[in-house]
């Protein structure tokens, strides 16, 4: 990728400004919201306990309010995920990143995986991003997971939680081929350079989940300055 191509794309509108660590504090949440609003990020993604705070901070502002459900393993019960999702929406969440039950998928419990995502989509009426954890799936399982989640009503497929490996350009290309542009694709995990962010977008990502958004924009500014 040449410098001109790297700096041409404005990555800010693609970024889900993510703060999902166990040590995240209310003060950090406030900082993330301020940054997302100032730089025009797509969303702020936080743990469920902070959704209400983010809702208050981003009221009538551009960034969407995103949270995670069944994070990070996806192995809680369907009832637990459903309650977590409904509570999050009641607290103001507009987007839900839901971890699928990878163990069920691998065991052939396809109907259970479909039913779980479908119930959450139907009960909340919000934009569900199904987290597939691509690094744990074989190619046939990746195709099956994508098909199931699309049929269940997911509005976006997400490469992974970031806990089991970084997002790759190859993963995004696979999902783009599988979705045929019918729904969005979110790449998440290990996106720490502006060049990688651009490569993921060019491969088909419509969102980027990263806590490094500010750093990526600084890198872009430095690249632009160096090329001028």
């Amino acid at each position: 990728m040449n410098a001109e191509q790297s700096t041409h794309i404005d990555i800010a509108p693609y970024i889900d400004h993510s703060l999902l660590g166990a040590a995240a504090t209310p003060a950090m949440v406030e900082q993330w919201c301020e940054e997302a609003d100032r730089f025009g990020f797509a969303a702020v993604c936080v743990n469920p306990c902070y959704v209400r705070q983010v809702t208050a901070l981003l009221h009538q502002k551009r960034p969407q309010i995103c949270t995670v459900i069944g994070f990070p393993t996806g192995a809680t019960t369907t009832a637990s995920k459903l309650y977590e999702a409904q509570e999050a929406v009641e607290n103001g969440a507009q987007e839900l990143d839901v971890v699928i039950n990878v163990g069920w998928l691998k065991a052939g419990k396809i109907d259970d995986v479909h039913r779980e995502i479908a119930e959450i989509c139907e009960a909340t009426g919000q934009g569900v991003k199904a987290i597939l954890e691509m690094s744990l799936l074989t190619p046939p399982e990746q195709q099956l997971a994508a098909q199931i989640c699309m049929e269940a009503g997911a509005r976006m497929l997400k490469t992974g939680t970031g806990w089991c490996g970084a997002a790759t350009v190859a993963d995004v290309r696979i999902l783009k081929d599988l979705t045929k542009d019918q729904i969005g694709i979110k790449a998440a995990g290990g996106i720490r350079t502006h060049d990688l962010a651009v490569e993921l977008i060019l491969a088909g990502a419509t969102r980027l989940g990263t806590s490094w958004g500010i750093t990526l924009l600084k890198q872009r500014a430095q690249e632009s300055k160096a090329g001028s």
Side-chain angles (χ1 to χ4, degrees):
M1 181 191 310
N2 58 44
E4 182 179 356
Q5 185 181 38
S6 177
T7 56
H8 177 69
I9 295 176
D10 180 9
I11 68 170
Y14 291 85
I15 292 176
D16 283 4
H17 202 29
S18 303
L19 183 63
L20 298 170
T25 65
M28 293 170 68
V29 171
E30 184 172 358
Q31 175 187 337
W32 252 243
C33 290
E34 188 278 328
E35 291 171 347
D37 182 47
R38 174 155 47 104
F39 291 102
F41 293 156
V44 173
C45 188
V46 296
N47 288 310
C49 67
Y50 290 124
V51 169
R52 188 168 290 179
Q53 180 186 1
V54 173
T55 300
L57 291 169
L58 293 180
H59 180 62
Q60 294 186 334
K61 295 183 178 179
R62 180 184 183 278
Q64 296 288 288
I65 302 153
C66 174
T67 193
V68 288
I69 305 298
F71 193 84
T73 67
T76 53
T77 64
T78 296
S80 296
K81 286 182 180 177
L82 189 58
Y83 178 85
E84 189 175 29
Q86 289 174 312
E87 182 184 42
V89 171
E90 290 172 1
N91 288 338
Q94 299 162 303
E95 299 182 351
L96 306 170
D97 288 20
V98 182
V99 189
I100 70 167
N101 192 314
V102 174
W104 281 357
L105 183 78
K106 287 183 169 292
K109 300 180 68 174
I110 307 307
D111 289 343
D112 290 332
V113 177
H114 181 280
R115 185 180 304 110
E116 182 171 271
I117 297 299
E119 286 183 5
I120 293 172
C121 290
E122 183 177 354
T124 62
Q126 297 300 319
V128 168
K129 307 188 196 95
I131 304 178
L132 306 186
E133 213 67 279
M134 294 283 282
S135 65
L136 301 182
L137 304 178
T138 65
E141 288 169 346
Q142 292 172 349
Q143 182 174 357
L144 183 59
Q147 181 181 351
I148 290 170
C149 293
M150 289 174 67
E151 291 177 353
R155 298 183 189 175
M156 196 172 294
L157 300 181
K158 182 175 174 180
T159 59
T161 59
W163 290 54
C164 297
T168 68
V169 171
D171 285 342
V172 172
R173 286 176 177 158
I174 289 169
L175 292 180
K176 183 174 175 60
D177 287 341
L178 292 173
T179 60
K180 303 185 186 305
D181 294 324
Q182 295 179 52
I183 62 174
I185 298 169
K186 178 175 175 178
I191 306 174
R192 298 185 178 184
T193 68
H194 183 263
D195 283 351
L196 176 57
V198 172
E199 288 175 2
L200 292 167
I201 292 169
L202 292 174
T206 55
R207 289 285 188 90
L208 304 173
T210 179
S211 60
W212 289 66
I214 305 302
T215 299
L216 302 186
L217 295 185
K218 289 180 179 178
Q219 290 175 2
R220 181 195 183 200
Q222 291 170 353
E223 290 172 2
S224 297
K225 184 176 181 181
S228 61

